Amino acid sequence: MQIIRSVKDLEAVLQQYEEINFVPTMGNLHAGHLSLVSEAKKYDGITLVSIFINPLQFAPNEDLDIYPRTEKQDLKELEKINCDVVFCPEPNFAEGVKKLHANSDLSKKLCGISRPHFFHGVISILNHFFQLIKPKNVFFGLKDYQQYLIVKDFLTQSTLKTSIHGIPIVREPDGLAMSSRNNLLTPDQRLIASKLSVILKDTALQAKIKNLEHLRVEGIKKLEELNFKVDYFSFCNSSTLEEIDDFEENTLLAIAVNLGGVRLIDNYLIQ
Ligand code: PAF
């Protein structure tokens, strides 16, 4: 496995290969990330993973400083699953990046309400990666469903010939969606955190037969009783993220909460 740190070295490697299957990450890899890499490996060409904690997607009051950094361990995991190339750019990689705006209809909803800078930062850094790498395929986890939709929209509007693949959420045995932020939870918070996926699933399974507003109020109440601070609890159209009042095919139930300062998100596509 080749480990590259400079853009110059990356360009030299890219010249040797035609088809790049790209998995962008911020490191602290877990089984969810590794499932993206395994999926990428099914395609012709090489698998390239980037590890870069993108400062552009964090607001000054957010958790950039405490975001888990575990590069040594990450590289071991990637080596084990035969990743071909890992690009770990220097911290100044984001300097001078062209600042882009994510699709405003999609990026103003859900996470975009409390984190208005977030998707613009994500799209700006991804555009920088995509322009350098020109990947054939890119892989995103569906836990970050809104991010997946926004990147998909961005690629549709761009001249890049890159296909995007959304990969199902990987969960811990107790149901908690895998996330690097789970490592920031205390053992007590970790136990409570698993209830998020239980409430999500229970609510989603009743959506076809019960009033959605009633389910929403009940769901929020249950979460608050467990000390979650609810950022949003939304039944929405899974293509537009528009809130809905009545169940329709492909409704997305998306939830974001804060537990002791740790932001957790999860979602369920109700088909
Ligand atoms: O999902 C993430 O880890 C990040 O938002 C991404 C896509 C690597 C961009 O920094």
Side-chain angles (χ1 to χ4, degrees):
M1 185 175 80
Q2 263 180 290
I3 300 161
I4 294 169
R5 296 191 186 270
S6 74
V7 170
K8 197 163 148 266
D9 290 348
L10 177 70
E11 283 169 343
V13 168
L14 292 173
Q15 273 182 3
Q16 301 166 43
Y17 303 101
E18 275 201 1
E19 297 190 345
I20 315 287
N21 302 304
F22 178 43
V23 180
T25 80
M26 299 209 297
N28 195 235
L29 304 182
H30 49 66
H33 295 111
L34 300 182
S35 77
L36 305 181
V37 181
S38 303
E39 192 58 32
K41 289 190 65 66
K42 294 182 185 161
Y43 291 79
D44 289 341
I46 62 155
T47 301
L48 174 92
V49 173
S50 65
I51 298 180
F52 182 66
I53 302 178
N54 171 27
L56 304 177
Q57 65 193 70
F58 291 82
N61 61 333
E62 291 183 345
D63 56 355
L64 173 64
D65 293 341
I66 55 159
Y67 198 88
R69 287 157 168 85
T70 53
E71 189 189 280
K72 221 166 151 197
Q73 183 60 28
D74 294 344
L75 294 174
K76 269 194 207 151
E77 297 294 336
L78 291 171
E79 176 107 61
K80 261 195 248 163
I81 57 168
N82 297 322
C83 173
D84 300 302
V85 181
V86 189
F87 179 41
C88 308
E90 304 295 343
N92 66 3
F93 182 70
E95 279 170 23
V97 160
K98 191 167 156 199
K99 303 267 168 57
L100 299 184
H101 271 265
N103 173 312
S104 55
D105 286 336
L106 294 170
S107 66
K108 281 190 183 139
K109 302 192 169 81
L110 304 180
C111 288
I113 297 169
S114 59
R115 306 186 75 196
H117 57 284
F118 177 71
F119 293 111
H120 307 310
V122 169
I123 285 300
S124 300
I125 203 74
L126 286 177
N127 179 56
H128 196 50
F129 275 118
F130 292 169
Q131 296 301 336
L132 269 171
I133 297 169
K134 304 263 177 344
K136 179 112 192 329
N137 295 292
V138 289
F139 301 82
F140 286 82
L142 292 176
K143 185 180 78 74
D144 301 312
Y145 186 89
Q146 186 175 14
Q147 171 172 272
Y148 162 75
L149 273 193
I150 289 173
V151 179
K152 189 168 150 196
D153 172 84
F154 170 75
L155 286 170
T156 311
Q157 309 296 327
S158 88
T159 52
L160 288 156
K161 293 188 186 69
T162 302
S163 305
I164 183 166
H165 305 264
I167 309 302
I169 300 175
V170 179
R171 295 182 180 279
E172 300 284 357
D174 65 4
L176 179 65
M178 294 223 177
S179 163
S180 302
R181 288 199 170 89
N182 295 350
N183 292 334
L184 301 172
L185 298 166
T186 64
D188 285 350
Q189 290 167 344
R190 173 64 190 80
L191 281 177
I192 298 170
S194 67
K195 300 285 189 298
L196 173 63
S197 66
V198 175
I199 293 169
L200 171 82
K201 194 169 169 204
D202 279 359
T203 309
L205 293 178
Q206 299 179 67
K208 286 187 189 173
I209 47 166
K210 286 202 181 152
N211 174 278
L212 297 190
E213 184 52 23
H214 173 77
L215 284 176
R216 211 175 86 81
V217 171
E218 283 292 297
I220 292 174
K221 197 167 138 226
K222 283 184 203 156
L223 288 166
E224 286 178 347
E225 278 166 8
L226 289 161
N227 280 335
F228 289 102
K229 282 202 186 101
V230 179
D231 180 13
Y232 59 76
F233 191 112
S234 171
F235 289 101
C236 56
N237 177 296
S238 61
S239 307
T240 62
L241 303 181
E242 210 69 67
E243 292 261 350
I244 55 165
D245 297 326
D246 298 308
F247 182 80
E248 51 190 54
E249 277 307 303
N250 291 320
T251 290
L252 181 79
L253 172 56
I255 305 180
V257 294
N258 186 297
L259 183 63
V262 181
R263 183 175 173 83
L264 302 171
I265 60 173
D266 203 348
N267 68 74
Y268 194 103
L269 190 59
I270 312 160
Q271 281 162 322

